[in-house]
Amino acid sequence: MIKNILIKARQGQDLSKEDALKLLNVKNGSEDFYELLSAANQLTREEFDNKGYVFAQIGINVEPCSVDCKFCSMGKSHFAMNETKKKSINEILEETNILIQDGVDDLFLMTTADYPVEDYLKIAREVRNKIPDDVRLIANIGDFDKDTAFELKEAGFTGAYHINRLREGIDTTVKPETRIKTLDAIKEAGLEFYYCVEPIGPEHDYEEMVEEMIRARDYDVDVMAVMRRTPVKGTPLFDKGQITALELTKIAAVTRIVSKPQRAMNVHEVIPMTLLAGVNLLCAEVGANPRDTVSDTETGRGCNVHLIRELLIEAEYDV
Ligand code: SF4
């Protein structure tokens, strides 16, 4: 029985690694499963005041990336995109304008790891000038040091999304220590911290996931997420397949409870059933997307802002 663990969570206590593993080992579809979802849902609705969020991400470039992640369509040794591309500042501003008019709360600007930081900062300053003060701007780029973290802040970013991925250094070419240094730089610069347990595949065990949930909590994560790996044809991990939406829903609920985000809980990609499990935000995508093989993901896997808002309203979140 998981009752006592959920009581601790509802009292605001930190759950231990063992508690988290017990929750993850609950059988999908069992009575405990629904109690778990219910606890995550209750915590989100109460702590976040029933607020739902619409996020959007613009992928700025589609180019072979030297980090060469084995799950990504832009990894240099297995590049699986239909073209290479670098968006112009005008294209980015035009897309920004549409997303702002559509009412996004947080806007992410994503690049591959090799994108020149100076160019990125220039783009960010222009985007910041075009968006209202209450819209958060989030950096999603390769690793960076403390000086760059402060430059990001000075350019108008309010937060950064950065991850020590599952099997970092094995399925990617970046060492976990490098990722951790970047996480430290984000915190030192006072940027809001966005984290994710990702990219979850059938081969990952629960211990690996719990490590990242607790890492997020230790860093006082503002916005937390889970992402299942999308098997992209042509990438080395394609044959490993994908976990089910129900399994991801359970992992989302446990992640919500264990990592204790300050503001919101997200899931990638958009999976409506997770809205029953403490997820109160979803993300629209425009441009490059490591889970897609078309360079404009809004014509492929990416969801648009209107659909996301509708899903949140249907789940009776206030948006
Ligand atoms: S996931 Fe990011 S860092 Fe990894 S290869 Fe793709 S673009 Fe590069």
Side-chain angles (χ1 to χ4, degrees):
M1 291 298 277
I2 56 167
K3 244 185 191 68
N4 289 340
I5 301 174
L6 296 181
I7 288 171
K8 275 204 277 181
R10 283 188 167 108
Q11 290 170 341
Q13 294 181 42
D14 286 353
L15 298 188
S16 65
K17 181 179 165 191
E18 292 66 35
D19 290 335
L21 287 171
K22 273 189 197 142
L23 295 181
L24 284 165
N25 277 300
V26 159
K27 190 171 179 298
N28 293 348
S30 65
E31 207 175 317
D32 277 352
F33 174 84
Y34 290 103
E35 271 194 45
L36 166 63
L37 267 49
S38 170
N41 177 64
Q42 188 192 346
L43 283 170
T44 285
R45 303 258 179 194
E46 287 177 8
E47 291 182 0
F48 305 152
D49 209 16
N50 205 50
K51 176 106 179 78
Y53 292 94
V54 181
F55 285 13
Q57 172 159 278
I58 300 176
I60 289 178
N61 68 321
V62 178
E63 292 173 296
C65 176
S66 65
V67 175
D68 212 14
C69 300
K70 291 181 184 165
F71 45 82
C72 174
S73 56
M74 291 185 280
K76 68 171 183 188
S77 64
H78 50 265
F79 189 75
M81 285 287 196
N82 56 337
E83 60 175 347
T84 60
K85 192 170 172 175
K86 229 176 185 165
K87 282 186 193 271
S88 68
I89 183 66
N90 285 342
E91 281 176 284
I92 295 165
L93 291 178
E94 213 170 286
E95 285 169 354
T96 298
N97 201 20
I98 294 168
L99 292 168
I100 295 299
Q101 278 174 12
D102 287 347
V104 301
D105 296 296
D106 293 29
L107 178 65
F108 291 61
L109 299 178
M110 181 185 72
T111 67
T112 58
D114 308 306
Y115 199 88
V117 172
E118 281 313 316
D119 294 354
Y120 184 72
L121 290 169
K122 225 184 272 174
I123 292 168
R125 285 187 197 103
E126 296 219 31
V127 170
R128 183 74 261 179
N129 280 337
K130 288 274 183 296
I131 65 177
D133 290 346
D134 62 346
V135 173
R136 288 173 164 93
L137 187 62
I138 322 305
N140 183 1
I141 56 176
D143 286 286
F144 51 86
D145 60 14
K146 198 170 83 178
D147 290 345
T148 302
F150 277 97
E151 282 184 297
L152 291 169
K153 196 165 181 203
E154 178 276 324
F157 284 104
T158 54
Y161 178 88
H162 207 79
I163 317 295
N164 180 56
R165 291 198 172 86
L166 298 173
R167 305 209 181 162
E168 194 76 73
I170 298 168
D171 291 339
T172 74
T173 59
V174 174
K175 289 194 178 87
E177 304 85 82
T178 307
R179 297 297 196 201
I180 305 300
K181 274 191 192 153
T182 306
L183 304 188
D184 291 339
I186 290 169
K187 293 302 286 187
E188 276 185 65
L191 289 160
E192 278 194 306
F193 180 49
Y194 295 62
Y195 202 65
C196 185
V197 181
E198 62 129 307
I200 305 167
E203 76 277 19
H204 295 123
D205 62 45
Y206 289 147
E207 295 222 0
E208 294 171 88
M209 297 176 210
V210 170
E211 204 176 313
E212 297 315 319
M213 293 175 202
I214 292 179
R215 190 189 312 281
R217 185 175 73 202
D218 290 346
Y219 276 91
D220 288 326
V221 66
D222 291 285
V223 176
M224 189 60 190
V226 289
M227 184 181 87
R228 68 173 169 181
R229 189 182 58 235
T230 300
V232 181
K233 212 166 178 189
T235 59
L237 298 183
F238 172 73
D239 288 339
K240 298 224 179 267
Q242 174 171 273
I243 63 167
T244 64
L246 200 68
E247 172 70 2
L248 186 64
T249 301
K250 176 174 72 184
I251 297 169
V254 178
T255 304
R256 163 66 187 88
I257 290 171
V258 174
S259 64
K260 298 166 82 178
Q262 308 291 318
R263 184 160 67 96
M265 179 70 205
N266 183 20
V267 67
H268 295 295
E269 294 171 314
V270 172
I271 295 172
M273 71 172 80
T274 60
L275 295 169
L276 290 173
V279 167
N280 67 328
L281 92 87
L282 298 169
C283 189
E285 291 174 286
V286 177
N289 168 1
R291 288 164 274 109
D292 209 342
T293 52
V294 293
S295 60
D296 297 310
T297 194
E298 63 273 29
T299 63
R301 301 189 65 89
C303 279
N304 66 43
V305 171
H306 303 287
L307 174 64
I308 282 171
R309 177 171 291 106
E310 201 179 305
L311 290 170
L312 289 165
I313 290 170
E314 290 281 26
E316 299 190 2
Y317 276 110
D318 302 324
V319 288

